[in-house]
Amino acid sequence: MLHKTWRRVAVATAGLLALSLTTACSEDPGESTDLSGNRVGAMADYGVGDQFKASEALSFSTLYNNHTFYPLKEDWLFWSELTKRTNVTIEPVAVPLSDYEQKRSLLIGAGDAPLIIPKTYHPQENAFVASGAILPVSDYLDLMPNLKDKIAKWNLKPEIDNLRQADGKFYLLPGLHEKPTQDYTVLVRTDIMQELNLPTPKTWDDLYAVLKAMKAKYPNVYPYSDLFSKPNPTGALLNILGSAHGTQAGWDYQHATWDPAAKKFTYTGASEQYKQMVTFLHKLVAEGLLDPESFTQTDDQARQKLANGKSFVVTGNAQTLVNNHRPDLAKTLPNAKMAKIPLPVGPAGEINPFPRLENGIMISTKARESKNFVAMMQFIDWLWYSDAGLEFARWGVEGTTFTKDASGKRTLNPGVDFLGLNPKAPKHLQKDFGFQNGVFAYGGSPDLVRGFFSPEELEFQKVMDARAPRMVPPPAPLTDEEREQVSLWETPLKDFVTQNTLKFALGQRPLAEWDAYVAELKAKNSDQYIELVNKAYERFQKNNG
């Protein structure tokens, strides 16, 4: 049974938060290897493929990202079955999806963080390293045989090395993918394309031609009117457009981008690739092909425009297509058809930009002192990294939510829906059972990750699988002192890049002022930032080469 732990999230002042994130911890718990007093509830012999079950009933507090599409329920089968299998009860500290990152920082800063802190995207953990608030989890990999096995089997060492800090350790347990599974792309009204006799666009230039043809036929329509304006304006569109141009933008924005030819990092927002991306974006807006309100409108406004025939194209993924846009169109334009197209190719060539490491888990330092620490790490290893745990988190309980044939192929039970597989089913895998929950279900092998995919989606993945994976940049971990310095630069720099990306795109600032914009970035310490990153890269190479 789920222990209902609706903690009141602590409200800390900015000063308290800043102090907590910069004050050095008095001791490094990772340096102690004596775990003899921390094994209560742990399994004596726990290895790859073993079912973890605590030797006594345990509970672990866990930060819980409460998704609006499937709000937390006490009676989910996920909770009771998890306890049945592992003898562990999760105590969720529920935080709304919209406030997750801010509340997570406040909880950690106030010293009130739960023991397990999921849904953390690298490099978000960097902010908590210097304070000693989170564990160097790399010190405890021997407690996690399934994690170690998958890192080795799937050749993930280059990706894992990118998580390492200047001390050589990493502080985030990431979700692991055997293969990249790109999801976000461009969603297009295919009935409009058929009406205009347009082929499926393969490149961004092809998509531009499609949008031009749509605009010519429907001059009062902005063909592309996008969602996801928060927290970054058109974060999803810039994400996929940026990767196609060989840079990082939107949700994916990082200050430093690796230049393999020069063998050094460059400042992302000042690079030629970023300029090319912004120039293309500006062209879409200037020619009336991309709705300028895409940068500010709510998701509901964008959905309404699409549903009412005021737009034909959005950025999205399989879930937004199946859960939002197709049902919306069925109500208002029943003859409309919409589909995902393979991610358009840009100047960077045919690449699959999806990383093989997903968001992951931070562990609160106070967990190290718990008598149940070893059991907790074994539990995490089973749920997030074992084949059985990954299957459980995604598919649920065999015979109740899914079946499995002799070959191991899984099939969702007809009374349960997910991604529109059984649209008339009375139950939903996420809403009614708690499986496929973004807090617990990520990573895995292709057959596990893609088992729910429709033939349409599998065909999309087949196209993406034929493309080269995105290059993994070399590690460039900063010291605590360097990180403290760059933390003073990062927010002003990112805000300035975001603001000017928007201005250039909307024509509020002419592209002729690009050089002036780069000079302004330098005045905000972009060169000093990159100098520190390249220094860190060279240091890591020297120490680990």
Side-chain angles (χ1 to χ4, degrees):
M1 181 178 178
L2 170 64
H3 291 324
K4 189 175 181 183
T5 311
W6 303 102
R7 291 190 188 172
R8 188 179 299 276
V9 175
V11 178
T13 64
L16 173 61
L17 179 59
L19 178 64
S20 66
L21 296 183
T22 57
T23 302
C25 189
S26 60
E27 60 183 57
D28 180 4
E31 293 177 358
S32 173
T33 56
D34 180 13
L35 295 168
S36 57
N38 308 96
R39 295 185 175 274
V40 176
M43 290 177 59
D45 295 305
Y46 170 68
V48 174
D50 290 341
Q51 170 63 54
F52 169 78
K53 189 158 191 176
S55 60
E56 62 180 60
L58 302 175
S59 63
F60 301 122
S61 59
T62 303
L63 195 62
Y64 183 85
N65 188 4
N66 202 6
H67 203 291
T68 52
F69 183 69
Y70 47 94
L72 186 152
K73 294 181 180 178
E74 283 188 81
D75 62 353
W76 276 342
L77 179 61
F78 175 86
W79 305 118
S80 56
E81 184 69 21
L82 181 66
T83 301
K84 177 182 174 183
R85 296 189 186 195
T86 66
N87 209 16
V88 170
T89 298
I90 284 180
E91 297 179 350
V93 180
V95 172
L97 172 68
S98 58
D99 295 330
Y100 189 77
E101 292 181 18
Q102 180 185 11
K103 295 295 176 61
R104 179 184 61 202
S105 294
L106 291 172
L107 282 166
I108 294 173
D112 196 33
L115 299 180
I116 302 172
I117 310 170
K119 293 300 286 185
T120 300
Y121 291 83
H122 177 70
Q124 292 173 343
E125 78 275 16
N126 290 356
F128 312 110
V129 170
S131 68
I134 58 173
L135 275 184
V137 288
S138 56
D139 284 347
Y140 304 101
L141 293 190
D142 285 345
L143 302 178
M144 309 185 76
N146 290 291
L147 170 59
K148 287 182 67 175
D149 179 62
K150 284 182 168 53
I151 291 173
K153 222 168 31 175
W154 295 347
N155 300 312
L156 285 163
K157 185 179 183 300
E159 286 90 342
I160 293 294
D161 281 346
N162 254 280
L163 302 178
R164 295 187 186 277
Q165 304 292 329
D167 59 7
K169 303 177 182 183
F170 57 89
Y171 293 71
L172 182 73
L173 295 169
L176 309 178
H177 285 266
E178 183 178 0
K179 289 185 177 180
T181 300
Q182 176 67 26
D183 194 5
Y184 277 89
T185 186
V186 181
L187 314 182
V188 182
R189 280 275 302 274
T190 52
D191 59 303
I192 300 295
M193 290 179 60
Q194 290 170 358
E195 175 193 339
L196 301 178
N197 197 28
L198 299 170
T200 300
K202 294 182 179 180
T203 68
W204 283 98
D205 287 339
D206 291 344
L207 181 62
Y208 167 77
V210 166
L211 297 173
K212 287 282 284 186
M214 289 176 169
K215 186 72 174 180
K217 175 70 175 179
Y218 298 95
N220 296 324
V221 166
Y222 286 112
Y224 204 142
S225 187
D226 213 21
L227 306 93
F228 310 117
S229 65
K230 308 295 180 186
N232 306 109
T234 61
L237 171 57
L238 285 173
N239 179 285
I240 59 174
L241 187 59
S243 64
H245 283 80
T247 189
Q248 304 167 104
W251 291 343
D252 193 37
Y253 186 80
Q254 302 290 335
H255 293 280
T257 297
W258 177 248
D259 182 340
K263 293 189 176 180
K264 65 179 183 179
F265 287 90
T266 60
Y267 191 77
T268 303
S271 67
E272 181 60 29
Q273 294 91 334
Y274 200 90
K275 180 183 179 182
Q276 290 176 4
M277 180 204 71
V278 170
T279 301
F280 183 83
L281 197 63
H282 168 79
K283 181 168 74 168
L284 295 184
V285 175
E287 297 185 19
L289 308 181
L290 176 64
D291 185 356
E293 292 184 356
S294 297
F295 299 89
T296 53
Q297 67 189 354
T298 65
D299 288 0
D300 283 345
Q301 289 171 321
R303 284 178 62 178
Q304 288 170 13
K305 288 178 180 179
L306 184 67
N308 294 326
K310 301 290 180 63
S311 70
F312 307 134
V313 181
V314 295
T315 311
N317 62 9
Q319 290 201 55
T320 59
L321 175 65
V322 172
N323 293 337
N324 298 342
H325 304 310
R326 281 178 175 165
D328 290 349
L329 287 166
K331 294 175 184 175
T332 55
L333 300 167
N335 294 322
K337 290 183 169 59
M338 194 163 205
K340 289 174 68 174
I341 64 170
L343 193 62
V345 176
E350 295 197 9
I351 60 170
N352 188 333
F354 191 83
R356 292 203 295 157
L357 298 191
E358 205 171 342
N359 69 89
I361 304 160
M362 297 186 293
I363 305 296
S364 172
T365 300
K366 58 191 176 186
R368 175 61 181 80
E369 304 308 314
S370 167
K371 64 182 182 179
N372 307 126
F373 175 68
V374 172
M376 188 187 81
M377 298 302 284
Q378 291 176 343
F379 166 75
I380 291 170
D381 181 68
W382 180 83
L383 179 56
W384 275 278
Y385 299 106
S386 76
D387 292 344
L390 287 164
E391 179 184 78
F392 169 72
R394 286 192 180 275
W395 286 87
V397 179
E398 187 173 0
T400 301
T401 57
F402 77 101
T403 57
K404 190 188 297 188
D405 65 19
S407 70
K409 179 178 170 56
R410 305 171 190 88
T411 302
L412 196 63
N413 279 357
V416 182
D417 184 34
F418 180 66
L419 288 178
L421 290 177
N422 299 312
K424 296 182 180 179
K427 298 289 186 179
H428 190 275
L429 189 64
Q430 292 171 310
K431 296 179 181 180
D432 297 301
F433 295 99
F435 299 108
Q436 275 289 347
N437 187 317
V439 176
F440 307 110
Y442 42 82
S445 59
D447 74 297
L448 185 70
V449 174
R450 303 175 185 181
F452 295 97
F453 290 179
S454 64
E456 172 189 25
E457 179 64 19
L458 289 173
E459 190 60 33
F460 173 88
Q461 294 301 333
K462 183 179 178 182
V463 173
M464 297 305 299
D465 282 345
R467 300 183 183 181
R470 181 167 69 173
M471 180 189 61
V472 180
L478 302 175
T479 65
D480 291 346
E481 294 77 14
E482 289 167 341
R483 188 179 299 107
E484 186 174 353
Q485 176 60 69
V486 301
S487 69
L488 301 176
W489 298 334
E490 285 179 328
T491 299
L493 279 169
K494 186 173 182 180
D495 288 348
F496 189 74
V497 170
T498 300
Q499 292 161 9
N500 281 273
T501 300
L502 182 57
K503 288 178 180 178
F504 284 129
L506 294 175
Q508 297 170 353
R509 185 170 190 179
L511 288 165
E513 292 187 12
W514 181 265
D515 290 344
Y517 152 74
V518 172
E520 291 159 6
L521 276 174
K522 291 180 178 180
K524 294 182 179 294
N525 302 298
S526 62
D527 279 356
Q528 290 93 322
Y529 186 102
I530 289 300
E531 184 179 346
L532 277 183
V533 172
N534 281 316
K535 177 183 173 183
Y537 157 69
E538 292 166 4
R539 182 177 58 235
F540 190 89
Q541 291 297 307
K542 180 180 178 181
N543 295 337
N544 298 273

